[in-house]
Amino acid sequence: MILAGFLLISGCSAGLKERWGDFNAYFNTYYNAQESFKRGLKLMDNQVVTFNTARPIRVHLTPVRAGQADFEKAIEKSANVLREHKDSRWADDAIELIGKSYFYLGQYFSAEQKFDEVLMASRSDELRQRAVLWRGRIYLETNRFAEGADYLSARLSSEEFVWDPEVRGEIDLVLAQLYVEMENYASADIHLRRGIPNVKNRNLTARARFLHGQVLNLMDQPDAAFKAFSSVDRSYRDYQLIYHSEVEKGRIFRTTGNYDQALRHFQMMARDDKHFQEIGDLNYEIARTLHDRGEYEAARSQYKDVLYSSLQPPTRVTTSLSHYGLAELNRFVFGEYALAAAYYDSSAKAIQNIDLMPIGFDASALAKSFGDHTRLSRESFRLDSLLHLAMLPRATRDSIVIALRESRYIAYEARQRELLRQGTTLVSTRPGSDQGGSQNQGNSGFLNHKNPALVIQGSESFNAVWQKRPLVDNWRRMEVARNARVETAANASVERTGTTVVRNRTDLDGVLNINLYDLPLTAEKQLATKQRIAALQYEIGNVFYLSLNMPDSALNHYRVVTSLYPETDVAAQALYSIADVALSASDSTQAYAMARRLRAEHPGTVFETRLSQRIGWPTGITESNSTASDSLTTAYHALIHTLQDQPPTRRAESLRAFSLSNREFARSGDLLYASARAYAEAGRSTATYLRLAAMPDSIAPFRYVGAEWDSTRAVLNSFLTLYPQHPSVSRARILISDLTPKEPQVVKDIQIIECKLLDQPLTVKGGMDAFVQSSGLKRLMERVGVVEADFEFEVIVSETGAILDIQPITEADEFGFLTLLVDRMKTGLNYFPPMSAGTAVRSRCDIVVSVRP
């Protein structure tokens, strides 16, 4: 009995000591750690969240920079639990709290280590299940989507846990987000349906239901998406998500063709006072609905109201989308391609973060394509007008020039009188007391900036005095000198004949923008002008065909070349392109017709041979052509052998002369490009370029001067005009750009991380195969009979995943594949942000783009 009593007392003493240790660990350290963590979490939850609904939203929000001091205290106090009470029951909880604090601080890899410790050491199923959930969130935040999906799927399918329904439901939501990032929407749909009913947190479920609606929209299930958006919990803490749900419901009405219901829905939202801040965005949705319904004039007016007359300034996204809508109207409805180019350009420049725009937003690429079309069309029209004027009889041409000069002089005089009137008008810059003075004078703010009437009045007064002022230094002296020159020229152009005053306005041609030196009056200049017009028309056709996927419009320009300029160098290329369009549309009759024309008009050319191969005709060259080709080949080899030891200038002149004299020779383009390179070599050897002495060697630009550099530029320009499809065109354009004087630039020292040092391989958003398919490269390769190819590049990728620089490693090809791919990569290829030590960095990588059948 005594021994038993002693043992009982000893057991109670041990249990009491253990309970006292747990009590002490909790209230002295762990409790304080919890309180610090809760304060940090509250500060984070109080931050305003802005959802980007153009992309699938996150159910579990990415941590923001708030409450950092509290999270660091939570880590410190939890670490005290492990140091001072490592055997207490709160040790595992302290490790979990450290992991969560690291997570909210954005130190994901440190957090991952702590949750791994919980999984390995804890005996609590509840803690271990939560550790799996937090590891899933870490995979999501560190962009390891496939790895995270595999990890969570394996854990859920194992038998190590009897899963708590709410923890499992939240893991399903994390899995759904991982699948969304991988664009596996079907799997995301399954996990969202499974997880939403089991999660009790209303904020999580509201965001999950909204994401489910977005996923169903991407799966082209509008009815199910409508139900998902309607189910978003109205008690969500931030009305923003409920507002976006209503907007998405209106868009579903529109996409399903229920335009009347969509209009009523958006108009009702616009009349709701709760949406006053979003009135500009809602008016855009109304304009888009009118656009899709076919009310084009009303849509154009509504778009302009959004941009210029909105009660609330529209967001940058809405501004960009409104410009985009106007561009589409001018492109598809009104046929105003120049205006379309301007609106696409405005749309592209209005937005700074492409991730805020809808998936597939392509304003930058379209702005470039339509800008090229506008530039080429204007130049073609100018040259065609000059050619037409030059070919008129002398008397007719002179009368047209005189009439043009007279009309421009009249307009010039009217403009000068208006400038004089503005200069002598007295403008009151002091607002009167009858209009703005009585409108809340005490609350007008600094310089009356809060009084709209006074602001408008002041703006008008300022513009009346200063609007015509050039934005340069010493503008007053420049204006006086310019007016003096114009007055002298005008006085000199007046002659007296008897009692009649005669105006001789030819001296004012510079002021009137009349340049008769551009008229191609000789047969040689007229031929060169026709060559240039044909090349421009062919380039316009390529813009429509290769960039805009508008083959019918491209055919119009190709046919202009073949019908009006059949004797030009690009006529064979135009015939081949017409056949290519026909083959794409399975029109073999048209393709055979073009093949016959190529064989009759351009026998032996690479285009005739290539088209014959594509349609299955035997290829061959007639005996006469073969003999001529052999003689030119012999002369070519003899020339190359002769020029091997000649100085660069001699080589350049000989190559240039041979190329221009034998335009039918297959390698004449190569020779002309080699001539330009030889002239450049001569320029360097004679030291006719100067480095700016004030700049460091690493960044000092060249200033190219001298006859050799002038000849280089002239030959390169001729090369671009005569051989616009040559494989070296892109390099020639780079050389011309390099030869153009540039202002000194300040180079910033930005660290670039090598690709091998990243936490994970560089990954293309959407996948490389999808990018290759959308780029049009594969289709272009199929047209010319190329089955597969590899293209290697060195790229520099920004912290956001955008390509900052791209340098081809693969040599340029004769078909222009590399040039097209580089252009598409600059505008359409985006990577997930490169990560190093858990931080987004700028990275340099070697990549390979493979095209396979």
Side-chain angles (χ1 to χ4, degrees):
M1 291 295 294
I2 296 173
L3 179 60
F6 178 77
L7 292 175
L8 178 63
I9 293 171
S10 298
C12 292
S13 175
L16 182 62
K17 183 178 181 181
E18 181 180 347
R19 288 195 295 273
W20 171 253
D22 291 341
F23 178 85
N24 191 32
Y26 180 80
F27 283 104
N28 284 345
T29 50
Y30 184 68
Y31 173 81
N32 294 327
Q34 272 191 320
E35 291 300 307
S36 296
F37 180 81
K38 289 177 183 178
R39 285 195 298 271
L41 198 59
K42 184 176 180 180
L43 287 173
M44 183 171 290
D45 289 341
N46 287 337
Q47 302 300 308
V48 177
V49 179
T50 302
F51 291 102
N52 174 23
T53 57
R55 300 286 194 276
I57 69 167
R58 283 283 178 88
V59 178
H60 293 87
L61 302 177
T62 298
V64 296
R65 297 182 65 84
Q68 292 197 1
D70 292 304
F71 290 128
E72 289 171 354
K73 287 181 181 178
I75 293 172
E76 180 183 351
K77 294 179 183 299
S78 297
N80 288 337
V81 173
L82 300 177
R83 282 193 297 268
E84 300 171 8
H85 308 280
K86 61 181 179 179
D87 297 325
S88 74
R89 58 171 293 192
W90 305 108
D92 292 344
D93 297 84
I95 295 174
E96 181 192 46
L97 196 62
I98 292 173
K100 291 193 289 187
S101 298
Y102 275 133
F103 179 88
Y104 285 121
L105 286 171
Q107 300 178 27
Y108 300 119
F109 293 99
S110 298
E112 189 172 5
Q113 290 177 355
K114 292 303 174 184
F115 292 123
D116 282 341
E117 289 182 31
V118 173
L119 282 166
M120 290 186 294
S122 178
R123 289 175 293 179
S124 168
D125 273 0
E126 179 184 357
L127 287 176
R128 296 177 68 218
Q129 289 181 32
R130 288 206 301 262
V132 172
L133 167 63
W134 282 96
R135 280 207 62 183
R137 292 189 63 179
I138 290 170
Y139 281 119
L140 183 63
E141 295 300 334
T142 54
N143 299 330
R144 295 179 289 166
F145 308 125
E147 185 182 351
D150 292 341
Y151 172 80
L152 292 181
S153 298
R155 286 289 190 174
L156 289 179
S157 61
S158 71
E159 298 180 355
E160 62 180 317
F161 299 123
V162 177
W163 285 98
D164 177 83
E166 184 163 6
V167 174
R168 177 166 186 143
E170 197 168 344
I171 290 177
D172 277 318
L173 298 187
V174 175
L175 258 174
Q177 294 170 85
L178 291 167
Y179 282 124
V180 166
E181 294 291 348
M182 294 188 290
E183 300 184 8
N184 185 349
Y185 301 122
S187 297
D189 175 37
I190 293 171
H191 286 283
L192 284 167
R193 292 180 188 275
R194 184 186 301 166
I196 290 174
N198 293 323
V199 176
K200 297 177 182 178
N201 186 308
R202 286 186 172 183
N203 293 329
L204 286 179
T205 55
R207 294 195 290 267
R209 292 180 190 279
F210 189 92
L211 175 63
H212 197 197
Q214 292 180 301
V215 168
L216 292 168
N217 254 341
L218 291 167
M219 296 173 64
D220 197 21
Q221 298 181 23
D223 293 336
F226 189 92
K227 292 179 181 178
F229 288 125
S230 299
S231 68
V232 173
D233 195 338
R234 302 290 129 172
S235 64
Y236 183 72
R237 63 182 183 183
D238 188 351
Y239 185 75
Q240 180 192 173
L241 196 65
I242 302 171
Y243 161 78
H244 284 303
S245 299
E246 293 299 316
V247 171
E248 292 296 334
K249 288 162 65 176
R251 290 173 178 168
I252 291 174
F253 283 134
R254 185 170 66 221
T255 55
T256 54
N258 195 348
Y259 300 119
D260 293 338
Q261 183 65 32
L263 274 177
R264 286 194 295 270
H265 184 83
F266 287 125
Q267 288 168 350
M268 181 178 66
M269 290 185 69
R271 289 193 294 268
D272 193 332
D273 291 341
K274 292 195 298 292
H275 304 141
F276 179 73
Q277 296 295 329
E278 294 84 15
I279 190 68
D281 303 333
L282 293 171
N283 283 335
Y284 162 76
E285 298 294 343
I286 293 172
R288 185 74 239 186
T289 306
L290 293 170
H291 185 162
D292 291 348
R293 192 163 72 167
E295 299 182 24
Y296 301 124
E297 289 293 347
R300 177 158 64 178
S301 176
Q302 184 75 8
Y303 282 134
K304 291 184 177 179
D305 285 346
V306 172
L307 292 171
Y308 310 118
S309 306
S310 185
L311 293 174
Q312 283 289 106
T315 63
R316 296 181 71 88
V317 171
T318 300
T319 299
S320 178
L321 292 175
S322 298
H323 282 299
Y324 194 94
L326 287 168
E328 286 189 315
L329 286 176
N330 283 284
R331 173 185 177 183
F332 294 111
V333 180
F334 304 120
E336 297 286 347
Y337 291 149
L339 275 177
Y343 281 122
Y344 278 130
D345 186 61
S346 297
S347 177
K349 290 179 178 177
I351 195 69
Q352 295 176 337
N353 184 1
I354 192 65
D355 288 336
L356 296 177
M357 305 308 294
I359 296 173
F361 182 76
D362 55 354
S364 296
L366 290 173
K368 181 181 182 305
S369 297
F370 278 98
D372 290 342
H373 172 272
T374 301
R375 173 180 55 81
L376 296 170
S377 297
R378 286 175 177 171
E379 179 65 9
S380 176
F381 178 79
R382 185 184 74 86
L383 292 176
D384 187 66
S385 300
L386 290 172
L387 182 63
H388 174 73
L389 187 62
M391 299 181 72
L392 291 174
R394 176 71 178 271
T396 306
R397 182 171 65 245
D398 290 345
S399 64
I400 292 175
V401 171
I402 291 171
L404 176 65
R405 187 179 285 128
E406 184 66 24
S407 64
R408 290 194 179 180
Y409 188 79
I410 292 172
Y412 169 76
E413 284 188 325
R415 191 163 57 250
Q416 292 300 107
R417 286 195 298 270
E418 176 63 19
L419 290 174
L420 181 62
R421 185 191 67 78
Q422 291 181 1
T424 56
T425 299
L426 181 62
V427 178
S428 174
T429 59
R430 295 178 178 271
S433 60
D434 55 337
Q435 293 182 2
S438 61
Q439 297 180 9
N440 301 325
Q441 286 184 345
N443 298 322
S444 293
F446 180 69
L447 295 181
N448 299 315
H449 75 283
K450 294 183 179 180
N451 190 319
L454 295 181
V455 169
I456 293 173
Q457 189 175 21
S459 177
E460 290 175 348
S461 300
F462 180 89
N463 289 334
V465 176
W466 300 107
Q467 191 174 31
K468 301 298 181 182
R469 186 206 117 175
L471 300 179
V472 294
D473 295 333
N474 298 319
W475 64 273
R476 288 187 178 88
R477 294 180 179 274
M478 294 166 62
E479 191 69 12
V480 169
R482 188 185 68 82
N483 289 334
R485 288 198 303 269
V486 171
E487 184 178 354
T488 302
N491 292 335
S493 64
V494 177
E495 301 177 358
R496 291 188 176 274
T497 305
T499 58
T500 305
V501 176
V502 179
R503 292 183 180 271
N504 179 16
R505 293 175 183 148
T506 56
D507 292 335
L508 286 174
D509 279 356
V511 177
L512 303 179
N513 196 23
I514 297 175
N515 187 2
L516 299 181
Y517 294 104
D518 290 340
L519 284 176
L521 298 176
T522 65
E524 182 181 358
K525 287 185 177 181
Q526 289 175 5
L527 178 60
T529 303
K530 289 181 180 179
Q531 293 276 11
R532 181 57 182 155
I533 294 173
L536 290 169
Q537 288 293 322
Y538 182 75
E539 287 190 56
I540 295 171
N542 283 345
V543 169
F544 278 120
Y545 189 32
L546 300 177
S547 300
L548 299 176
N549 195 24
M550 299 170 64
D552 292 338
S553 298
L555 282 175
N556 293 333
H557 293 277
Y558 293 147
R559 285 170 179 155
V560 166
V561 177
T562 58
S563 59
L564 298 182
Y565 309 102
E567 73 284 1
T568 58
D569 295 322
V570 296
Q573 295 166 269
L575 288 170
Y576 180 85
S577 297
I578 293 173
D580 185 51
V581 174
L583 289 172
S584 300
S586 301
D587 184 359
S588 57
T589 302
Q590 179 76 353
Y592 284 126
M594 294 302 104
R596 283 191 290 271
R597 283 194 61 180
L598 274 171
R599 180 156 289 189
E601 300 173 15
H602 306 279
T605 61
V606 64
F607 303 103
E608 185 266 331
T609 303
R610 195 180 303 157
L611 182 57
S612 296
Q613 291 173 346
R614 290 184 66 184
I615 65 176
W617 283 3
T619 58
I621 305 175
T622 63
E623 184 177 353
S624 59
N625 285 335
S626 177
T627 303
S629 177
D630 289 343
S631 62
L632 282 176
T633 302
T634 302
Y636 161 75
H637 287 297
L639 177 68
I640 297 300
H641 179 73
T642 303
L643 296 178
Q644 283 182 348
D645 299 325
Q646 298 294 326
T649 304
R650 174 69 184 277
R651 287 205 317 271
E653 292 171 352
S654 300
L655 291 170
R656 183 181 188 181
F658 187 92
S659 172
L660 296 178
S661 301
N662 301 283
R663 295 276 296 283
E664 71 279 5
F665 183 50
R667 304 203 60 177
S668 60
D670 299 337
L671 294 174
L672 194 59
Y673 181 69
S675 171
R677 297 301 296 265
Y679 274 125
E681 182 183 347
R684 292 190 185 94
S685 64
T686 55
T688 53
Y689 61 92
L690 306 175
R691 187 179 289 277
L692 299 183
M695 302 299 294
D697 288 346
S698 59
I699 60 173
F702 291 122
R703 184 172 290 165
Y704 297 90
V705 295
E708 292 86 355
W709 294 113
D710 293 339
S711 298
T712 304
R713 283 185 279 264
V715 173
L716 286 173
N717 285 318
S718 299
F719 173 76
L720 293 177
T721 300
L722 298 175
Y723 304 99
Q725 299 302 309
H726 194 277
S728 298
V729 161
S730 59
R731 282 178 283 184
R733 286 176 175 155
I734 292 172
L735 282 174
I736 291 177
S737 176
D738 289 343
L739 294 177
T740 303
K742 299 176 178 62
E743 293 298 325
Q745 297 180 353
V746 177
V747 176
K748 295 181 179 179
D749 184 15
I750 299 178
Q751 185 179 12
I752 299 178
I753 304 299
E754 295 299 327
C755 202
K756 61 184 179 181
L757 300 178
L758 296 179
D759 297 335
Q760 56 191 355
L762 205 59
T763 306
V764 178
K765 288 185 178 180
M768 182 62 79
D769 291 339
F771 163 74
V772 170
Q773 195 67 33
S774 64
S775 69
L777 174 63
K778 195 170 184 180
R779 185 178 60 180
L780 180 60
M781 290 173 57
E782 291 171 352
R783 287 180 187 146
V784 298
V786 178
V787 178
E788 60 182 41
D790 291 327
F791 304 92
E792 189 173 359
F793 306 92
E794 180 187 80
V795 298
I796 295 179
V797 181
S798 73
E799 297 85 343
T800 62
I803 291 183
L804 297 178
D805 184 46
I806 177 168
Q807 297 296 331
I809 299 174
T810 306
E811 287 293 327
D813 55 276
E814 62 174 317
F815 304 108
F817 298 151
L818 190 70
T819 303
L820 174 66
L821 186 57
V822 168
D823 182 65
R824 294 295 188 269
M825 290 174 71
K826 288 178 179 177
T827 57
L829 189 62
N830 287 288
Y831 290 89
F832 290 110
M835 305 293 291
S836 178
T839 305
V841 295
R842 187 168 300 189
S843 177
R844 179 189 291 107
C845 298
D846 289 345
I847 65 170
V848 177
V849 179
S850 298
V851 183
R852 296 290 182 266

